[in-house]
Amino acid sequence: MGARKYAATRLRQDASTLKSAPDLFLRLMSEHAARGLWSRVVASATQQATASPPHLADFSASGDTFSQDITYLSVVYTLGGDGGEDSWLMEGGDDAPEIQLVLKMDDVKKLVRTLQERVEPKTAPDETGRDVLRERMRSTTVVLDAVLESMPMTIGECSQLEVGQVITLPNAKMDKLVLSADTVSGSLPISQGELGAWKGFRALKLRSPVPEDVIREIAEI
């Protein structure tokens, strides 16, 4: 619908006269405007010197555009959907035209981090090294365990475990797993969830938020 409205504007005629126009004709008429829009998007997105220009592709015309291993962000912009005098709503109660952009989430995150670095004020270096320690702590990798059930055992009982031995888990429930972090002081429960699958892999869907004391401790590092 947006292509039809734009083509009618270029041809200086009413949009209703192009309702039966071929899709190829509308695509050719709108190609210049579409590429102009994409150039503006590229100019806004490639603010890093090392960033490569985003690849332009028509995701509706190709089945190989998306990868299952990449997360995408879909942005839909409605043109003149407010119904005002400058609205793009067409006669006859048609819906407002839309422009949809599909961006790689990793690229969006890189852009956000770059913008944050530019707007955040630079602070004086911490002579005590606390800022450096905090930054290193926050970037440190921690092992997360999805625990089905836990039980106490003595060291002697553990030493007697044998291959093929069956250990009963009477209280284990697939919809109640505990997500815990392996810390220097022991296992720290973070959240609860249920066991499932996502894209062919085993997955844990969280059912409860992270405790406030854990968030507070992380924030004060």
Side-chain angles (χ1 to χ4, degrees):
M1 187 177 301
R4 188 163 63 243
K5 178 71 175 180
Y6 178 76
T9 302
R10 291 190 60 185
L11 297 175
R12 298 180 181 180
Q13 62 187 57
D14 191 85
S16 60
T17 61
L18 298 179
K19 285 188 175 182
S20 58
D23 290 342
L24 178 59
F25 171 77
L26 297 178
R27 288 169 64 90
L28 293 175
M29 289 292 293
S30 305
E31 182 178 4
H32 179 74
R35 292 192 174 274
L37 173 62
W38 185 247
S39 298
R40 298 285 296 274
V41 174
V42 171
S44 300
T46 56
Q47 299 188 27
Q48 304 179 66
T50 58
S52 58
H55 174 64
L56 175 60
D58 183 1
F59 60 88
S60 63
S62 175
D64 300 330
T65 303
F66 297 112
S67 173
Q68 295 182 354
D69 300 329
I70 299 177
T71 303
Y72 298 90
L73 175 66
S74 176
V75 181
V76 180
Y77 181 73
T78 303
L79 302 175
D82 56 356
E85 294 182 358
D86 297 331
S87 171
W88 270 44
L89 289 174
M90 301 173 65
E91 298 80 1
D94 291 332
D95 295 332
E98 294 180 343
I99 293 178
Q100 183 177 8
L101 301 176
V102 180
L103 309 172
K104 291 182 179 179
M105 183 61 74
D106 288 344
D107 293 340
V108 176
K109 291 181 179 180
K110 291 179 181 178
L111 175 60
V112 171
R113 287 195 294 267
T114 301
L115 295 178
Q116 287 178 338
E117 293 175 356
R118 293 183 178 182
V119 300
E120 290 179 354
K122 295 185 178 296
T123 58
D126 187 3
E127 297 180 355
T128 63
R130 181 176 177 83
D131 291 340
V132 176
L133 177 60
R134 182 187 296 111
E135 185 64 26
R136 290 181 178 178
M137 287 292 295
R138 289 183 173 179
S139 60
T140 300
T141 301
V142 63
V143 177
L144 298 181
D145 297 320
V147 182
L148 185 63
E149 185 183 1
S150 60
M151 62 179 63
M153 296 182 68
T154 65
I155 296 179
E157 290 172 338
C158 292
S159 64
Q160 296 176 2
L161 293 177
E162 299 178 355
V163 177
Q165 181 179 348
V166 178
I167 301 176
T168 60
L169 303 175
N171 299 321
K173 296 181 179 179
M174 304 300 289
D175 59 346
K176 192 176 181 180
L177 276 73
V178 177
L179 182 65
S180 62
D182 188 12
T183 67
V184 292
S185 58
S187 181
L188 175 64
I190 295 180
S191 182
Q192 291 185 349
E194 62 176 306
L195 184 65
W198 185 77
K199 290 187 176 180
F201 297 95
R202 292 188 181 275
L204 176 65
K205 184 176 183 180
L206 299 183
R207 289 297 189 185
S208 62
V210 179
E212 293 185 3
D213 57 334
V214 177
I215 298 178
R216 191 180 305 109
E217 183 178 351
I218 296 176
E220 292 177 355
I221 292 179

